[in-house]
Amino acid sequence: MNLREKIFSADDITKELVEVPEWGVTVELRSMTANERAGMTEKASRGGGEKIDIKLMYALTLIASVYDPESGLPLFTDQDKESILSKNGAVVERLATKAMGVSGLSEKAVEEATARFHQES
């Protein structure tokens, strides 16, 4: 196997089980692919500028990162954005922050996004 084949065949998606006591469930968080991260960032950008719609970013992060640990299937779809945002904000923020961390988004970026969310709320 050459180097290119080795890279593309590597299973580099991080998976972590996370208990959500408020919902009485355990979910699997998976790191986002480069395509999912770029898409989430692009969709959450307001007007193509530097300002990020934090609420949308949280929902999109959960849609891309939360899986059923038994079936291995994604739990949420794009149609679930509003339903996700209607749940306990602390729970959604905690899961989204953890999912962003699993996806390699820097802790500083996560902290800045969270701070902006609290300023805008």
Side-chain angles (χ1 to χ4, degrees):
M1 180 182 299
N2 68 34
L3 183 59
R4 182 178 174 277
E5 291 168 337
K6 190 173 182 176
I7 290 168
F8 290 133
S9 68
D11 182 7
D12 61 354
I13 301 298
T14 304
K15 299 174 185 175
E16 181 179 331
L17 292 178
V18 176
E19 187 177 342
V20 186
E22 297 89 345
W23 297 345
V25 300
T26 297
V27 298
E28 180 178 274
L29 291 185
R30 293 187 190 174
S31 57
M32 288 182 257
T33 64
N35 190 45
E36 289 168 333
R37 274 180 58 170
M40 182 268 298
T41 304
E42 186 176 292
K43 288 178 185 176
S45 295
R46 292 185 186 159
E50 291 182 18
K51 191 143 175 113
I52 299 289
D53 182 335
I54 300 303
K55 291 184 292 189
L56 183 56
M57 183 179 79
Y58 280 175
L60 293 172
T61 298
L62 294 188
I63 290 166
S65 301
V66 179
Y67 286 75
D68 180 330
E70 292 181 21
S71 71
L73 297 173
L75 279 179
F76 305 119
T77 68
D78 280 342
Q79 289 73 37
D80 294 319
K81 286 180 218 160
E82 291 303 317
S83 294
I84 290 168
L85 294 174
S86 73
K87 299 306 294 172
N88 181 320
V91 176
V92 171
E93 180 179 338
R94 185 175 72 236
L95 280 175
T97 301
K98 190 157 195 68
M100 286 186 264
V102 167
S103 293
L105 293 167
S106 74
E107 187 174 323
K108 182 177 180 183
V110 172
E111 287 173 2
E112 288 174 0
T114 302
R116 282 197 302 270
F117 174 73
H118 290 295
Q119 288 173 351
E120 295 172 6
S121 298

